[in-house]
Amino acid sequence: MYKKVKKMSYGLILAALLAVSFTACQADNRQGRETGMNAANQSAGQAVDQSAGQVADQTGNKSGNQSGNQSENQVAGRSANQAEKTTEHQHTYHEEQVPGSCVAYTKTVYTCTGCGDTYEEIHEEAGYSGHQYEERRTQATCTEAAKIIYTCSVCKDSYSVDDENNPALGHESVFQSVVVTATDTSPGVKRFACKRCGEYSDVNYALPHKVNAYNGTQIVYGYWDKECEKEIASILDEYRKANGLRPFLSYSELSQTARTRAMEIAYSYRHNHSRPTNTSWRTAYNSNLGTCGENIAAGQEDAQAVMYAWKNSSSHNENMLDPDFDSVGIGVFVRVDCVESGEVTVPDPEGLSYNDRYYVQSFSD
């Protein structure tokens, strides 16, 4: 022990001498000498502390930072324990056999009872059977074709295709009842029902009207729209007033003539105004009448539309504003074809009657 202390003291003396020798090279003043001595003392002290610290570490002595070291050691200890717990888990797998299906292999599913980890083993060597389809057929209906239905006898997978040899039958409708009765001035409604499925539909119908034609008496189905006739007369009177003319007088004879002509052009609409008998339109008017005129039109949806068309045609507009005419008859005929019951107008092949609404203005002085 004495030798160790002596050697340590010698080392301290040597360090101090070196420090003095070093500071002797500095400027010769008091401050410099003091600084050098302080530095030498500090170096010597550090050497002593380091040596003492090494001795304390080797002999197991605890320093003044004992509490801090204990905290660090505790944290490190907990981490080590946690690591041990993590590595200690051993998977314990439960096996479950999942049988194959028509389109899937048999497999084994392994699941750890402790942590839930899972994986599968596919047994391809066993293969799978594929669907075993059985065929079933349905009958065609009014709206759907017959079907061939395929169903797997193992897994019940199913699909269907239309039977091309048995298309939909279509409805076989027959007359059932009159819902609304038709008149000369309004359409009616008839109900038809399918004999097979019972589905029904309501369709418009109209009364038949006779037309004298070059090929004999023909039938036109329809009605006269009196409300539209009145609206046309009102618009016409206002138009006359706006152009400095007196309103038209209305005669029942001219009104009947206009309605007859409207029905005739519903059967045979001719631009030259000739009648279905191939005679002049003038023959429809009373021979006692003097000057006469006629405007016809087809297809417009209402009174406003047909008056607009007539106003924008020079010849038709001339008739409406002719000061020599003081009377007018208006006729509007609506053709209604009921295909379900066969009540259909067969139009004149020489005419152009393919519209629903037909208009006539009959003028006279």
Side-chain angles (χ1 to χ4, degrees):
M1 183 67 181
Y2 175 75
K3 289 182 179 179
K4 288 182 180 179
V5 173
K6 183 176 182 182
K7 184 180 289 187
M8 186 183 300
S9 299
Y10 176 76
L12 290 174
I13 293 171
L14 179 59
L17 290 176
L18 290 172
V20 172
S21 175
F22 174 77
T23 56
C25 298
Q26 305 300 321
D28 188 16
N29 56 60
R30 183 179 182 84
Q31 183 177 1
R33 288 194 300 270
E34 291 177 354
T35 301
M37 293 176 66
N38 290 337
N41 292 334
Q42 183 177 4
S43 299
Q46 289 176 348
V48 172
D49 290 341
Q50 291 174 354
S51 298
Q54 291 173 354
V55 172
D57 289 339
Q58 292 172 355
T59 58
N61 292 333
K62 296 181 181 179
S63 67
N65 295 325
Q66 181 178 5
S67 59
N69 292 336
Q70 287 177 346
S71 298
E72 293 177 358
N73 291 336
Q74 290 173 357
V75 172
R78 285 198 298 271
S79 299
N81 290 335
Q82 290 174 353
E84 290 177 0
K85 290 180 180 179
T86 301
T87 57
E88 284 174 0
H89 176 72
Q90 297 294 325
H91 290 300
T92 302
Y93 287 105
H94 168 73
E95 295 184 13
E96 179 185 1
Q97 297 295 325
V98 179
S101 67
C102 296
V103 293
Y105 295 109
T106 299
K107 64 182 178 180
T108 304
V109 180
Y110 298 88
T111 305
C112 178
T113 57
C115 67
D117 180 67
T118 184
Y119 67 94
E120 296 178 350
E121 181 182 357
I122 307 299
H123 304 295
E124 296 185 7
E125 67 281 0
Y128 55 83
S129 62
H131 291 300
Q132 304 297 316
Y133 285 113
E134 295 178 350
E135 180 181 310
R136 179 171 63 89
R137 293 176 179 267
T138 64
Q139 297 297 318
T141 67
C142 294
T143 57
E144 293 186 355
K147 295 185 181 298
I148 306 173
I149 302 173
Y150 298 91
T151 304
C152 179
S153 60
V154 179
C155 69
K156 307 307 178 184
D157 177 72
S158 181
Y159 70 95
S160 65
V161 296
D162 289 344
D163 184 352
E164 296 180 354
N165 297 320
N166 293 282
L169 301 174
H171 293 300
E172 188 175 347
S173 298
V174 294
F175 171 73
Q176 190 177 62
S177 63
V178 173
V179 180
V180 178
T181 302
T183 69
D184 284 341
T185 57
S186 64
V189 177
K190 288 184 177 181
R191 177 166 294 176
F192 294 83
C194 178
K195 293 193 300 184
R196 279 188 294 269
C197 68
E199 182 176 328
Y200 70 86
S201 59
D202 292 341
V203 295
N204 289 340
Y205 81 102
L207 298 179
H209 301 277
K210 294 180 180 180
V211 176
N212 294 322
Y214 67 93
N215 53 351
T217 301
Q218 302 298 324
I219 298 297
V220 178
Y221 294 92
Y223 65 94
W224 288 280
D225 188 344
K226 285 189 174 182
E227 292 303 317
C228 186
E229 292 172 357
K230 291 178 182 179
E231 188 175 356
I232 291 173
S234 176
I235 296 172
L236 182 58
D237 283 345
E238 292 300 321
Y239 186 51
R240 295 267 294 185
K241 290 179 183 179
N243 284 274
L245 301 171
R246 66 179 182 273
F248 279 122
L249 298 176
S250 178
Y251 289 121
S252 59
E253 184 177 347
L254 276 179
S255 295
Q256 185 57 46
T257 298
R259 287 178 179 173
T260 298
R261 290 290 293 134
M263 181 183 64
E264 289 181 347
I265 65 173
Y267 169 71
S268 179
Y269 182 81
R270 302 180 181 188
H271 294 302
N272 61 3
H273 289 257
S274 63
R275 303 180 71 184
T277 55
N278 286 332
T279 58
S280 171
W281 62 272
R282 181 67 176 78
T283 61
Y285 292 76
N286 190 316
S287 59
N288 294 327
L289 296 176
T291 304
C292 298
E294 180 180 84
N295 285 345
I296 65 175
Q300 291 77 12
E301 62 183 10
D302 55 27
Q304 295 285 348
V306 71
M307 282 298 294
Y308 178 84
W310 279 333
K311 289 177 183 179
N312 285 276
S313 169
S314 59
S315 59
H316 295 84
N317 191 59
E318 183 179 345
N319 277 343
M320 292 190 294
L321 297 180
D322 191 331
D324 293 334
F325 292 146
D326 60 9
S327 301
V328 69
I330 308 295
V332 178
F333 189 84
V334 182
R335 201 177 81 185
V336 178
D337 291 330
C338 186
V339 177
E340 288 79 0
S341 60
E343 298 167 318
V344 179
T345 299
V346 179
D348 177 10
E350 297 181 6
L352 302 171
S353 298
Y354 49 83
N355 293 291
D356 296 331
R357 301 180 68 84
Y358 298 86
Y359 305 87
V360 173
Q361 289 176 328
S362 296
F363 304 98
S364 71
D365 56 6

